[in-house]
Amino acid sequence: GIAVKPFLNKLELSTSDLLVVHDDMDLTPGRAKMRIGGGGGGHKGILSLIEHCGEDFARLKIGIGRPENFTDDNDIDWVLGKPAGSELEIINAIMPVVISGMRLWVEQGPERSMTSFNTAIREIFSAVDEPMQGQSESEPDPNGEGSDV
């Protein structure tokens, strides 16, 4: 946030002109979600952006999940560490969709790109989730509203 504010000022941009791509421990590995605004969810970088710039920027969240033995003391090691083999494969598999979502955001603006991106992610995982019905992970709606889970 400290570095972003002067950058936005120099370029005469507002936070609504900003797309922040970041990890999210509240999303399982490989899940992703685009939304505008909201809280920091404990993410130190996002909390800093909100503090210094406001919260009306677009976010593209990429799920990294939480370690089994999660505590506030080991979150840095988890976030900065390398994902396990299967988790890394899942995250890498959605990267073309993430890149496409970023391109759509630049070309079509936040609202249309959010709908397209969140729909594409939901379709990718709907085939995976069908055999596992009964599990309670909620999917984001196409506009990125609602729960951050």
Side-chain angles (χ1 to χ4, degrees):
I2 294 171
V4 173
K5 182 69 173 172
F7 175 77
L8 292 174
N9 289 340
K10 181 176 175 106
L11 296 176
E12 299 179 1
L13 298 171
S14 72
T15 53
S16 62
D17 297 315
L18 189 62
L19 172 65
V20 177
V21 180
H22 66 90
D23 57 2
D24 191 318
M25 291 174 56
D26 291 331
L27 293 172
T28 57
R31 299 288 177 152
K33 176 172 144 176
M34 190 182 291
R35 67 176 297 171
I36 298 172
H43 191 290
K44 292 170 182 66
I46 298 301
L47 291 170
S48 177
L49 277 167
I50 291 169
E51 177 184 349
H52 295 282
C53 304
E55 64 180 40
D56 66 334
F57 53 90
R59 304 139 193 239
L60 197 161
K61 305 174 178 192
I62 301 170
I64 62 168
R66 290 185 185 274
E68 288 181 27
N69 57 346
F70 174 75
T71 67
D72 287 337
D73 295 332
N74 70 358
D75 63 342
I76 292 173
D77 292 336
W78 179 257
V79 169
L80 298 179
K82 185 175 180 177
S86 61
E87 292 171 348
L88 184 59
E89 287 178 30
I90 293 168
I91 293 168
N92 285 339
I94 67 155
M95 283 302 123
V97 180
V98 168
I99 292 166
S100 198
M102 293 180 339
R103 184 177 298 117
L104 280 172
W105 186 85
V106 170
E107 294 171 353
Q108 299 180 4
E111 298 299 328
R112 289 184 67 192
S113 62
M114 205 167 32
T115 300
S116 297
F117 178 80
N118 291 332
T119 300
I121 291 293
R122 189 174 53 250
E123 288 173 356
I124 288 169
F125 282 96
S126 67
V128 173
D129 289 341
E130 272 181 23
M132 299 176 2
Q133 286 182 1
Q135 296 205 356
S136 63
E137 182 170 346
S138 64
E139 285 295 316
D141 70 36
N143 294 317
E145 302 299 323
S147 171
D148 279 348
V149 176

